[in-house]
Amino acid sequence: MARQITLYAAKVCQFAHRTELALAEVGAQFTRYEIDLGNKPEWYASKINPASKVPAIAYGGPVVPADQPSPESTKLVESLILNEFISDLFPASSLLPSSPVERAKARFFIDTFSNQFSPPYISFLLRGDSKEALFVALKAQQDLLGQNGNKKFAVNDDFTIADAAVLPFFARFETVLSNDLGAYDEGEEKQVLNMLATEPKYKLFWDYFQRLKSRESFKKTYYPEEVLAEMRPTLGSLRAERQKLKA
């Protein structure tokens, strides 16, 4: 039986969202503490995470206020590691597949996302680089979906660590483009979203994304207004700055 869990997270952070999503999926009882990333508590680095990042979990120890963490609790960090830890705490949840082959596939799905999707997404968003590389990356992710026999989720018909790892990023991708935020040329966001939603060659990915968004765990743990409030000041001016550099 799991002992007390305190999650230190931030609504705007996709990495923290991964772990909050996993906790919601397994039905864990936990205390959530919001960390203001722009004004972190002085005690956070010394008592929870020396790297001063979220997410982090304080596990076990006495039940105490989250802002007064006990030295008796174990402090754990890094979203992907935390999600496997949560899977181990709740083995009946299917968050981590029971099959060694499917566990390997889940980890490879995450690795493919990290190495192939993240770089072109960041370059498109922050520098206005070609959207074609973004489509290539999404196609690579979709190809993995096709290899699993068209199951509902990344590796089988259960929501696993693979799905929890990518959903927070895909959700923010859609939110940012839907609100025309980024360095890319005006109108490109509509082209990207329209192609994904209507082109038959991306149907497998788009349908998968819609299933992910329909999860109650996602609806309870995604805060789009906070995400936009955080991103607008930074991303809202990138296009104009890029145009100045090109002039």
Side-chain angles (χ1 to χ4, degrees), residues 83-148:
N83 282 12
E84 293 217 19
F85 171 70
I86 292 164
S87 303
D88 288 338
L89 290 180
F90 299 88
S93 68
S94 300
L95 194 61
L96 189 65
S98 58
S99 159
V101 170
E102 289 188 343
R103 287 200 297 273
K105 286 184 176 181
R107 290 166 182 143
F108 184 69
F109 192 87
I110 296 169
D111 184 75
T112 299
F113 169 82
S114 299
N115 291 314
Q116 296 200 36
F117 176 79
S118 293
Y121 168 54
I122 291 171
S123 65
F124 174 71
L125 190 65
L126 300 185
R127 296 192 293 273
D129 290 347
S130 170
K131 62 181 179 293
E132 299 311 316
L134 191 60
F135 284 120
V136 170
L138 287 169
K139 182 65 166 54
Q141 211 72 45
Q142 178 176 259
D143 287 346
L144 294 180
L145 295 173
Q147 290 172 19
N148 73 5

Side-chain angles (χ1 to χ4, degrees), residues 170-189:
F170 289 151
R172 284 160 177 78
F173 169 67
E174 181 183 43
T175 296
V176 167
L177 265 62
S178 296
N179 287 272
D180 192 20
L181 296 175
Y184 48 80
D185 291 336
E186 185 175 359
E188 281 197 300
E189 77 289 348

Side-chain angles (χ1 to χ4, degrees), residues 33 35 39-49 52 67:
Y33 189 88
I35 296 293
N39 185 27
K40 297 168 188 171
E42 292 183 5
W43 49 264
Y44 186 68
S46 61
K47 295 185 177 181
I48 298 297
N49 185 359
S52 199
D67 59 356

Side-chain angles (χ1 to χ4, degrees), residues 189-229:
E189 77 289 348
K190 293 179 182 177
Q191 294 175 24
V192 170
L193 290 175
N194 184 62
M195 284 187 68
L196 291 176
T198 62
E199 287 282 342
K201 63 181 176 180
Y202 297 114
K203 178 176 171 55
L204 189 59
F205 168 79
W206 193 252
D207 288 349
Y208 164 68
F209 180 40
Q210 302 315 304
R211 285 192 294 274
L212 291 180
K213 290 193 298 178
S214 71
R215 304 288 290 184
E216 286 302 314
S217 59
F218 173 74
K219 296 175 184 178
K220 292 176 181 177
T221 59
Y222 188 43
Y223 311 92
E225 292 306 316
E226 285 84 351
V227 169
L228 285 171

Side-chain angles (χ1 to χ4, degrees), residues 151-167:
K151 301 293 186 183
K152 292 180 180 178
F153 298 107
V155 295
N156 55 34
D157 286 327
D158 295 316
F159 186 98
T160 69
I161 57 169
D163 307 297
V166 302
L167 176 53

